[in-house]
Amino acid sequence: MKKLIVKTALITLASLLAVFLLVLTAMTMYAPRTMATLLDGVGNRSLSLWYTELAYQKFGEVDDLTNVFDKSVTAEDYERTIKYGNILIGREDFSDICASQDGVNVSYKNYVYGNTALAMYAEDYNDEEVLSFASATANGEYPDYNAYQMLLYSPLVSQDKAFLSALKDKLSALSQRVEDEDLQSDILYIDKILQDLT
């Protein structure tokens, strides 16, 4: 009798496991967005990011692309941030995407460029490449939350004297063409950091 109970329990457990795996496989194949939402709900960022990426690869929708970029930024997954940031920027409808994503005071274009530039810095791209990439958000103007500012105020670069010096050179050159109080303040802020690092 005891053997029968154990055998029945094992068969039931194996059946439940098989059904669970079948449902998981079906959800992965046909409803990756739902899986991402469920995983967001339980706080599993890395798996949620994976399912969001899977949804983008499967459906190719703009919402999936912006979600995978945003989740890559939040998870500090620098490789994916660079990959999907460049995909976003390279799209012909990038300005339309930005218009639909712009917040009250934040430019989505600057958000994408800034976070992609930070990820490039974190992945050891050379300083000139990072700063040239960031310049797309401060070309002839110096808007709030531009990529230069995201780099300047990031803890990632706060101790990198060489990078901060190169950033100061870029901002000083920009200040020859653009009159902006925030730009002048940022140059003075870099000077202060560089003095503290000496």
Side-chain angles (χ1 to χ4, degrees):
M1 183 71 174
K2 194 173 185 181
K3 286 182 182 180
L4 181 61
I5 293 172
V6 170
K7 187 175 178 183
T8 304
L10 289 174
I11 291 171
T12 304
L13 185 61
S15 299
L16 288 172
L17 184 59
V19 169
F20 173 76
L21 290 174
L22 188 63
V23 169
L24 184 62
T25 302
M27 292 290 284
T28 299
M29 290 176 60
Y30 301 109
R33 291 179 187 133
T34 304
M35 289 298 293
T37 303
L38 290 171
L39 290 162
D40 279 336
V42 296
N44 192 329
R45 285 184 184 167
S46 59
L47 266 179
S48 174
L49 171 57
W50 185 82
Y51 275 104
T52 305
E53 183 177 37
L54 185 65
Y56 171 66
Q57 291 168 351
K58 185 170 180 59
F59 304 114
E61 298 289 330
V62 170
D63 287 346
D64 295 320
L65 177 56
T66 57
N67 283 340
V68 76
F69 179 76
D70 294 344
K71 287 182 180 184
S72 297
V73 170
T74 302
E76 297 181 354
D77 186 325
Y78 300 125
E79 287 182 23
R80 281 188 174 112
T81 300
I82 294 166
K83 176 181 178 181
Y84 292 106
N86 281 311
I87 290 172
L88 270 166
I89 291 162
R91 286 181 61 107
E92 289 180 14
D93 60 348
F94 181 56
S95 39
D96 294 333
I97 294 169
C98 291
S100 70
Q101 295 287 325
D102 280 349
V104 178
N105 295 313
V106 179
S107 158
Y108 192 72
K109 174 186 175 184
N110 292 350
Y111 170 78
V112 173
Y113 271 95
N115 282 295
T116 305
L118 280 170
M120 290 167 67
Y121 175 84
E123 289 291 303
D124 293 325
Y125 282 62
N126 71 59
D127 294 352
E128 183 56 38
E129 194 173 1
V130 174
L131 292 170
S132 292
F133 183 85
S135 70
T137 63
N139 194 0
E141 59 180 343
Y142 198 71
D144 292 337
Y145 309 108
N146 67 70
Y148 284 145
Q149 286 181 321
M150 288 185 74
L151 288 162
L152 174 58
Y153 292 102
S154 169
L156 287 174
V157 303
S158 64
Q159 300 296 311
D160 189 339
K161 190 174 180 180
F163 183 83
L164 289 168
S165 295
L167 177 55
K168 181 186 174 190
D169 292 344
K170 289 282 186 187
L171 295 184
S172 297
L174 183 62
S175 72
Q176 302 301 312
R177 303 185 315 271
V178 176
E179 287 186 30
D180 188 282
E181 287 182 19
D182 289 339
L183 176 55
Q184 296 304 322
S185 296
D186 287 346
I187 292 169
L188 291 172
Y189 180 65
I190 294 176
D191 281 336
K192 182 182 182 313
I193 296 172
L194 290 172
Q195 281 181 341
D196 292 344
L197 291 174
T198 312

